[in-house]
Amino acid sequence: MDAKFVAKEERDWRPAPAPETSSLATLKNAAKTCTACHLFRHATQTVFGEGAKGAKLMLLGEQPGDQEDLAGKPFVGPAGKILDRALEEAGIDRGEVYVTNTVKHFKWEPRGKRRIHKKPNSREIAACRPWLEAELRVVRPGLLVCLGATAAQAVFGPTFRVTRERGKVLKSEIAPKIVATVHPSSLLRQPDEESREREYKLFVADLRVAVKAL
Ligand code: URA
């Protein structure tokens, strides 16, 4: 494909057409056909948030990964497994939480036969933002947990640093309370067992801060 054409296709975006509704099912259905940015072209499907309207806690990740893209559900792959374990340890029932992502389509590049995750850029995040705002409007969580820098920067802006602010109860216009922490996939990337265990404990501690603040 012509490189200039690809670049233009990737530059073109508009805010997602999230309908004014109080129904999560209506939102999810509308998001299925979202073409607000180019990411829909190479993703299997839109991975919308999952959970109940009125959930007190909302978890916000970055974007679906390979397994989430295939399953159509957020956090069901390796990062989701760690998240599930940590939630349980922090005393949080995943069934009572609303789980979603900043960007609803899987962004990837091929490496051999594998699809490798690519970080979403500011245009893709901006295009997807109306879905997140609509989810927040409908679910109305008392507390939002931002998992990783993409989620936290989508809320607080690009200068936000998770390393400095993690585990604190913060305020923002989009939710009454926010706690930022690392992304669970960062635990998978730790170089050895000792640092994995240490980082995992810090992650659980951040989730406990969220539970306490609820
Ligand atoms: N990483 C994310 O940020 N979200 C998912 O749903 C899966 C992996």
Side-chain angles (χ1 to χ4, degrees):
M1 208 186 293
D2 183 331
K4 260 192 217 147
F5 175 73
V6 172
K8 171 160 177 7
E9 173 187 290
E10 292 193 11
R11 272 200 317 271
D12 280 349
W13 69 274
R14 61 191 180 284
E20 276 294 327
T21 175
S22 57
S23 157
L24 279 176
T26 304
L27 283 177
K28 184 174 181 173
N29 203 39
K32 279 184 188 162
T33 51
C34 186
T35 57
C37 78
H38 68 108
L39 291 181
F40 77 97
R41 293 178 195 278
H42 304 291
T44 307
Q45 57 194 317
T46 304
V47 179
F48 205 70
E50 215 180 49
K53 184 171 164 173
K56 291 198 183 80
L57 188 65
M58 185 185 282
L59 301 180
L60 180 63
E62 182 190 76
Q63 61 163 348
D66 182 74
Q67 294 192 29
E68 288 80 12
D69 170 77
L70 297 173
K73 289 166 177 286
F75 283 106
V76 293
K81 301 271 181 303
I82 294 209
L83 177 64
D84 286 351
R85 201 179 118 207
L87 286 173
E88 198 181 325
E89 214 163 311
I92 301 170
D93 179 352
R94 179 163 170 171
E96 292 188 357
V97 169
Y98 188 87
V99 184
T100 194
N101 282 302
T102 309
V103 167
K104 277 34 176 191
H105 280 117
F106 179 34
K107 183 179 183 184
W108 59 278
E109 63 188 2
R111 195 171 303 157
K113 285 188 179 156
R114 295 177 61 209
R115 302 190 300 171
I116 304 298
H117 159 277
K118 258 186 108 177
K119 209 173 157 63
N121 63 36
S122 56
R123 291 182 298 273
E124 293 145 3
I125 292 168
C128 222
R129 190 174 180 92
W131 295 123
L132 173 61
E133 288 177 355
E135 288 173 298
L136 284 161
R137 207 167 49 235
V138 174
V139 178
R140 297 179 66 81
L143 195 146
L144 176 72
V145 175
C146 294
L147 301 168
T150 298
Q153 290 179 353
V155 172
F156 292 109
T159 58
F160 186 89
R161 292 289 168 267
V162 172
T163 42
R164 232 175 15 223
E165 305 292 342
R166 68 180 293 180
K168 298 180 189 168
V169 183
L170 307 167
K171 282 194 182 131
S172 123
E173 282 178 359
I174 77 165
K177 291 176 186 172
I178 305 198
V179 171
T181 184
V182 295
H183 193 282
S185 67
S186 70
L187 308 175
L188 296 167
R189 292 194 300 269
Q190 292 301 314
D192 51 60
E193 191 51 42
E194 195 183 323
S195 40
R196 204 168 309 134
E197 201 43 40
R198 186 186 59 236
E199 290 305 314
Y200 174 76
K201 283 195 175 125
L202 292 173
F203 181 56
V204 173
D206 290 346
L207 293 175
R208 288 203 172 112
V209 170
V211 179
K212 220 171 143 196
L214 264 178

